[in-house]
Amino acid sequence: MITLSGVKKSFGNNHVLRGVDLEIARGTSMVIIGGSGTGKSIALKSILGLVTPDAGTIMVDGKDAATAERDAFLARFGMLFQGGALFDSLPVWHNVAFRLMRGALQRPKEEAREIAIEKLRRVGLKADVADRLPAELSGGMQKRVGLARAIAAEPEIIFFDEPTTGLDPIMSGVINDLIREIVVEMGATAMTITHDMTSVRAIADNVAMLHDGVIQWSGPVADMDQAGDPYLDQFIHGRADGPIEAVR
Amino acid sequence: MNLILRPLEALGHAFLNLLAALGRISIYAGSTLRHIFKRPFYARELAIAILNVGWLSLPVVGLTALFTGAALALQIYAGGARFNAEAVVPQIVAIGMVRELGPVLVGLMIAARVTSSIAAEIATMKVTEQIDALVTLSTHPMQYLTVPRVLAGLICVPVLVGVGDVIGILGGYTVAVATLDFNSSTYLVNTFDFLEIRDVVSSLAKGAVFGVIATLMGCYYGMNSGRGAQGVGAATKGSVEAAAILILAANFVLTWVFFSL
């Protein structure tokens, strides 16, 4: 279980997180929604230690993320970045097998390559993609390679940062289905941040809405439409009128 | 009163900012030094960095040294002719290239070619979240990106300086023999008789220091770049400016140290 308690983060006078409280149960898929610039990525990066919170605690399975041994802590996570964040200078297979070629999870090079090709197949890419450079791939293919990298070491917890941003609706559907299948198949705990409501309905067990630096609403995805929260209601229906200012 | 205080205030701010920047760079350099001795060691990254910093810089370093040595011979000949000292061309070209121009010009060319390239590459990695991706994949960016590049600078730039010194002297030799009627063997004898071991040592030591400065500035500015294309551009520009100024400042300090020995 991942627990965030009173997490705050400011950048100068910009108070991005004002006290986030959130629980993500083991083996469930939590999707965090919210407008652009509401701190969704900062919340996610705070859990991984990429951003240090100003206040509050983050616990993963009862252990404080701030004091955990970094390598062992991070070995439990996989992450799909918004833009893929693939390493330009390395071929696709090396990107996917990156974690398997160093540290505690290190395998022989050939074995790591085989695992990488298997994971590429899992996300619907052919083996001949393995030796190409990321720049030679389309946006959708790069997302899939990023997804293959995220699951390569079979992590217990997977984060997805805006997994469908910049993709056409069909490719978005493919990525959403893949994420759902992989999370169910691996039994992983998933945390996704998005403002794509199609993704929310496809991926989520539970939904939390982040607004003005706090969790405005959270609950099962099935309850989202009947929640009666005016902020959530405005967001999921994409209305310009409501308590959330359209101009921010 | 404001007319007096405002410029002083601006000067004070600039000085404090300079001190703060030097402090941050020192902390970064200290952290790099610590990570050199930590495991894992990325040999493949070091090999790639050596190729980029050393081997691929050879043409630009060689041409720079060749033309500088040739021009230096002409200048010394023309200047020396004013007081009948044309014969000192071999000695002055040798000492000028080895003690000063070789290391400084190679350092500046490395700052232009390598520092800018490192800063732009790492800044782009930062902007596209590749640095964050490295961290999530349990790989320390300092060990994976900075240490191999700085070690490559430390290893390769002294070699480039040595090569540049030789090519610069050859440039002077070619011009002197071909156009200034110097005797070939006398020119070479005068060159090597005049040079001392400590000249060569100081040249290579300067190369090592300049190599570390050039690569460290590229990494530091890349890692601390701002967002977007503008951030990458600013990091690249800042890294080259800082590397060039620090190389020239270090050259002065090192020359002073070697002179006082």
Side-chain angles (χ1 to χ4, degrees), chain A residues 45 74 86 88 98-99 102, chain B residues 42 129-130 135-136 138:
Chain A
K45 288 182 176 181
L74 288 169
L86 302 175
D88 305 324
F98 195 87
R99 192 193 279 279
R102 64 208 71 237
Chain B
Y42 296 104
E129 293 187 302
Q130 291 177 53
V135 175
T136 63
S138 304

Side-chain angles (χ1 to χ4, degrees), chain B residues 114-124 217-219 221-222 232 235-236 239:
Chain B
V114 173
T115 307
S116 58
S117 145
I118 290 175
E121 183 185 1
I122 294 180
T124 305
M217 288 303 98
C219 295
Y221 277 87
V232 175
T236 308
S239 70

Side-chain angles (χ1 to χ4, degrees), chain A residues 66-84:
Chain A
T67 55
E69 203 275 311
R70 289 294 290 161
D71 278 356
F73 178 78
L74 288 169
R76 302 178 63 190
F77 288 84
M79 165 111 186
L80 170 62
F81 286 85
Q82 186 175 348

Side-chain angles (χ1 to χ4, degrees), chain A residues 136-196:
Chain A
E136 298 173 74
L137 306 180
S138 68
M141 289 167 92
Q142 288 188 16
K143 273 270 160 66
R144 292 198 213 193
V145 174
L147 186 53
R149 183 172 70 183
I151 62 170
E154 306 199 341
E156 299 163 47
I157 303 160
I158 313 178
F159 288 171
F160 304 97
D161 185 359
E162 308 271 9
T164 56
T165 297
L167 300 180
D168 65 64
I170 295 170
M171 188 52 67
S172 296
V174 170
I175 295 286
N176 287 336
D177 290 348
L178 272 172
I179 290 173
R180 188 70 217 177
E181 282 170 28
I182 286 166
V183 167
V184 169
E185 176 181 299
M186 291 173 60
T189 305
M191 181 171 159
T192 306
I193 58 176
T194 187
H195 32 56
D196 176 354

Side-chain angles (χ1 to χ4, degrees), chain A residues 219-242:
Chain A
V221 66
D223 296 351
M224 187 172 66
D225 291 311
Q226 291 80 40
D229 183 277
Y231 292 87
L232 180 69
D233 204 44
Q234 183 190 354
F235 189 85
I236 62 177
H237 293 105
R239 286 197 292 264
D241 297 330

